[in-house]
């Protein structure tokens, strides 16, 4: 599975959009991009995933560049409860063991 | 909506003791997984199962055993607890092995003293 690169930390003002970048320059054609977050060492929470088209759900939007080498998770109106570590993961749909490789993620702090 | 339930939430063991971490899911998912997370680190896969009666090793299986007798349950066994196994353990499940996301429990915090 392709590796990902994320900034270690980011701040965002409450009520503003939080844009979390992820670089996955070695991604292959059958690999999806997934985003999870982890709040206060709780279990990772699934946010969104996509292959090549932009995706949106009730939590966030996922923007994937045309060459698929990077993506951005957008939280449209960040709240204090969005303070968490955000993980960007790429995984093949045919990956052995279906493992999700979690790195160290981006620690997002939403500031009042 | 219980999802993935892990018990216990916290446990302290002495070196050499054994214990079983329980994991149950009510989503009828075929795939189940055990991860460990050390402080400040990402998650590492210990074992996984693709269905009842079928298990396989992940990235860090040494010191652990698993079994899968039912679709719902996937217990993780520590036979001889060592300080290196102090960690937070997460169980997860998914519908299949394609693009479906994994859903996680809230974890078991284990300390070996």
């Amino acid at each position: 599975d392709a590796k990902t690169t994320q900034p270690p930390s980011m701040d965002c003002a409450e009520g503003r959009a939080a844009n979390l970048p992820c670089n996955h320059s070695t991604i292959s054609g059958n690999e999806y991009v997934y985003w999870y977050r982890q709040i206060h060492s709780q279990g990772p929470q699934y946010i969104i995933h996509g292959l090549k088209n932009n995706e949106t759900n009730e939590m966030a939007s996922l923007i994937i560049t045309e060459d698929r080498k990077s993506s951005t998770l957008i939280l449209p109106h960040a709240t204090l409860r969005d303070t968490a570590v955000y993980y960007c993961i790429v995984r093949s749909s045919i990956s052995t063991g279906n493992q999700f490789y979690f790195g160290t993620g981006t620690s997002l702090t939403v500031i009042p | 909506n219980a999802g993935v339930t892990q018990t216990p939430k916290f446990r302290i063991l002495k070196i050499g003791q054994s214990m079983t971490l329980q994991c149950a899911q009510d989503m009828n998912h075929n795939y189940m997984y055990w991860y460990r997370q050390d402080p400040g680190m990402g998650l590492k896969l210990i074992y996984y199962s693709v269905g009842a009666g079928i298990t396989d090793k992940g990235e860090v299986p040494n010191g652990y055993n698993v079994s899968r007798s039912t679709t719902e349950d996937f217990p993780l066994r520590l036979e001889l607890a060592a300080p290196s196994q102090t960690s937070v353990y997460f169980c997860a499940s998914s519908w299949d092995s394609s693009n479906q996301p994994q859903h996680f429990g809230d974890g078991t915090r284990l300390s070996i003293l």
Side-chain angles (χ1 to χ4, degrees):
Chain A
D1 290 329
K3 291 185 177 180
T4 62
T5 304
Q6 299 177 252
S9 63
M10 293 181 62
D11 293 337
C12 177
E14 187 177 19
R16 303 295 294 269
N19 296 279
L20 290 88
C22 180
N23 182 288
H24 31 79
S25 58
T26 60
I27 194 169
S28 61
N30 62 5
E31 290 182 317
Y32 284 74
V33 180
Y34 296 80
W35 283 86
Y36 280 78
R37 72 181 182 183
Q38 194 171 22
I39 300 172
H40 292 305
S41 297
Q42 296 176 10
Q45 178 188 22
Y46 166 75
I47 301 173
I48 198 167
H49 75 288
L51 183 62
K52 49 186 171 182
N53 297 321
N54 297 338
E55 301 287 344
T56 296
N57 63 21
E58 65 278 5
M59 291 182 66
S61 294
L62 172 61
I63 309 299
I64 303 174
T65 58
E66 190 170 349
D67 63 7
R68 304 210 319 123
K69 294 183 183 299
S70 65
S71 61
T72 301
L73 177 74
I74 301 173
L75 307 178
H77 304 286
T79 70
L80 298 180
R81 288 177 295 180
D82 292 323
T83 293
V85 177
Y86 287 78
Y87 297 96
C88 170
I89 302 161
V90 293
R91 190 186 69 85
S92 169
S93 60
I94 55 174
S95 175
T96 301
N98 201 32
Q99 176 172 349
F100 280 74
Y101 288 91
F102 286 78
T104 52
T106 295
S107 178
L108 174 69
T109 301
V110 180
I111 302 169
Chain B
N1 293 339
V4 178
T5 302
Q6 292 185 237
T7 56
K9 294 188 184 303
F10 305 93
R11 185 73 184 269
I12 298 174
L13 285 181
K14 294 182 179 179
I15 295 172
Q17 287 186 319
S18 61
M19 78 162 294
T20 299
L21 283 65
Q22 301 292 343
C23 175
Q25 53 91 10
D26 62 358
M27 298 173 282
N28 203 31
H29 284 169
N30 292 318
Y31 287 71
M32 296 187 74
Y33 317 83
W34 275 105
Y35 292 86
R36 60 176 287 174
Q37 185 176 33
D38 298 332
M41 306 294 287
L43 280 71
K44 294 184 178 181
L45 183 67
I46 305 171
Y47 271 96
Y48 67 98
S49 169
V50 302
I54 306 171
T55 63
D56 206 347
K57 297 177 180 179
E59 187 181 356
V60 289
N62 292 342
Y64 307 94
N65 282 300
V66 294
S67 60
R68 183 97 181 270
S69 57
T70 67
T71 299
E72 295 78 19
D73 300 300
F74 190 39
L76 178 71
R77 178 88 177 157
L78 283 71
E79 293 292 349
L80 291 171
S84 61
Q85 294 177 306
T86 294
S87 190
V88 181
Y89 292 84
F90 291 103
C91 179
S93 71
S94 66
W95 181 249
D96 60 20
S97 65
S98 66
N99 66 326
Q100 294 303 304
Q102 294 179 8
H103 301 273
F104 287 78
D106 286 334
T108 294
R109 284 155 183 76
L110 182 63
S111 294
I112 315 295
L113 304 176

